[in-house]
Amino acid sequence: MLSKKTKYGLKALTYLAKKEDRNPVPIGEIAQQNNISQKFLESILLLLRRTGVLASKKGKGGGYYLIKEPSEILMTDVIRVLEGPIAMVPCVSLNFYEKCDDCPDEGTCSVHKLMLKVRDSALEIYRNTTLSNLI
Amino acid sequence: MLSKKTKYGLKALTYLAKKEDRNPVPIGEIAQQNNISQKFLESILLLLRRTGVLASKKGKGGGYYLIKEPSEILMTDVIRVLEGPIAMVPCVSLNFYEKCDDCPDEGTCSVHKLMLKVRDSALEIYRNTTLSNLI
DNA sequence: ATAAATCCTATCGTTTTAGTAGATTAATAA
DNA sequence: TTATTAATCTACTAAAACGATAGGATTTAT
């Protein structure tokens, strides 16, 4: 299941991308327009800022805004920040690889085999989808 | 993330599929050979039996065994039983559809759009993969 | 100064996950 | 019939993750 964090994060990014200008948009507006708990969204936008997807401006007239063109914002990056690994098992993860402690040999593991396919197909989509494709 | 339940279930099924005969295999053997907690595996195999993927025989000489050919056992069925919906959001699920309460219109929802693609690609794989493909 | 906004830390209730324990039932072999 | 083997059923539990919420500190524009 996709976490609400990812869901809300994607909605917020899309909301910002839809705006004509790139002026700062306050959290309150984003939260209201998308039916998201403001406090929860705060932490999500903060995370997106810390990882370089968004920038923010403090104080009156402040808010969050995109620093890159929507067509430059890849889903691979967004999903990895919000949801974590794209792979469903660590042993097939590119960025978060970990060996399974119960599995003696990845080469013959059925789960590994299947999840590798699933990861590849998801990756294919995320790599070829930008924020602008979602508007 | 794939649950251990699904992972263990898949491993157990593969283990059974690899055997030449279709004689009942006791839980203990499956658990040991695959480094799975026996008690946990019990509940998983029980679930697979109740949903018609496996059959069982009680008492001495008993155990679990496949009732269908591995090539007849589709990943769509196995995954749905063990992991639940293939879709990452209920609003794009074929078998477990639910409307999002926060979303006014699926047609314009960016999350919906993206997750539909992801579901389709996963479905494509699961539909075209059987247990025999994992051996 | 004041209002508006982000930033930061901590906490919290609920649900899910991954198991464990123990008793019961059924089949088989002796 | 009795002992053994193995599935079945019910109940419980510890830990982690999830989805928030609370409250204050800090920054900026007017």
Side-chain angles (χ1 to χ4, degrees):
Chain A
M1 276 292 150
L2 200 75
S3 66
K4 301 251 175 181
K5 189 164 121 185
T6 304
K7 187 182 181 186
Y8 295 161
L10 275 172
K11 285 197 170 193
L13 287 174
T14 314
Y15 183 78
L16 292 177
K18 273 181 182 159
K19 298 233 159 182
E20 316 86 46
D21 52 47
R22 291 285 169 262
N23 295 330
V25 182
I27 300 179
E29 179 188 331
I30 309 177
Q32 273 192 353
Q33 296 297 314
N34 293 280
N35 302 305
I36 304 171
S37 142
Q38 171 157 354
K39 273 295 191 180
F40 190 25
L41 185 59
E42 264 186 45
S43 63
I44 299 169
L45 295 184
L46 202 53
L47 173 63
L48 288 171
R49 197 218 56 185
R50 286 193 180 130
T51 51
V53 181
L54 283 177
S56 64
K57 187 161 176 276
K58 280 183 163 185
K60 197 167 189 176
Y64 283 90
Y65 56 96
L66 296 175
I67 19 174
K68 287 188 276 188
E69 285 304 306
S71 61
E72 301 294 316
I73 299 174
L74 282 169
M75 285 304 115
T76 34
D77 298 326
V78 175
I79 294 292
R80 282 198 180 110
V81 163
L82 294 171
E83 191 74 8
I86 289 165
M88 293 183 77
V89 268
C91 71
V92 298
S93 177
L94 292 176
N95 291 250
F96 303 83
Y97 176 83
E98 254 180 84
K99 195 186 173 304
C100 298
D101 43 355
D102 62 300
C103 198
D105 177 24
E106 285 178 6
T108 58
C109 176
S110 57
V111 177
H112 186 86
K113 217 170 180 175
L114 180 62
M115 289 305 136
L116 202 54
K117 284 195 207 174
V118 174
R119 186 215 60 188
D120 279 340
S121 76
L123 212 46
E124 168 82 10
I125 293 170
Y126 293 139
R127 275 184 176 149
N128 292 300
T129 308
T130 69
L131 196 50
S132 63
N133 297 130
L134 298 185
I135 298 174
Chain B
M1 277 292 151
L2 200 75
S3 65
K4 300 253 174 179
K5 187 165 122 185
T6 304
K7 188 181 180 187
Y8 294 162
L10 276 172
K11 285 197 169 193
L13 287 174
T14 315
Y15 183 77
L16 291 177
K18 273 181 182 159
K19 297 233 160 183
E20 316 87 45
D21 52 47
R22 291 286 169 262
N23 295 330
V25 181
I27 300 179
E29 179 187 331
I30 308 177
Q32 273 192 354
Q33 295 297 315
N34 292 280
N35 301 307
I36 305 171
S37 143
Q38 171 158 353
K39 273 297 192 178
F40 189 25
L41 185 59
E42 267 185 41
S43 64
I44 298 169
L45 296 183
L46 201 53
L47 173 64
L48 289 171
R49 198 218 56 184
R50 286 194 180 128
T51 51
V53 181
L54 283 179
S56 64
K57 188 161 175 274
K58 278 184 166 184
K60 195 164 190 179
Y64 283 91
Y65 56 95
L66 297 174
I67 18 175
K68 287 188 276 188
E69 285 303 306
S71 62
E72 300 294 317
I73 299 174
L74 282 170
M75 284 305 115
T76 33
D77 299 325
V78 175
I79 294 292
R80 282 195 181 112
V81 163
L82 293 171
E83 191 74 7
I86 288 165
M88 293 183 77
V89 268
C91 71
V92 299
S93 177
L94 293 175
N95 290 251
F96 303 83
Y97 176 83
E98 255 179 82
K99 194 185 174 304
C100 298
D101 42 355
D102 62 300
C103 197
D105 176 25
E106 284 179 8
T108 58
C109 176
S110 57
V111 178
H112 186 86
K113 217 170 181 175
L114 180 62
M115 289 305 135
L116 202 54
K117 285 194 206 173
V118 175
R119 185 215 60 188
D120 279 340
S121 77
L123 213 46
E124 168 82 9
I125 292 169
Y126 292 140
R127 275 183 176 149
N128 293 299
T129 308
T130 68
L131 195 51
S132 62
N133 297 130
L134 298 185
I135 299 173

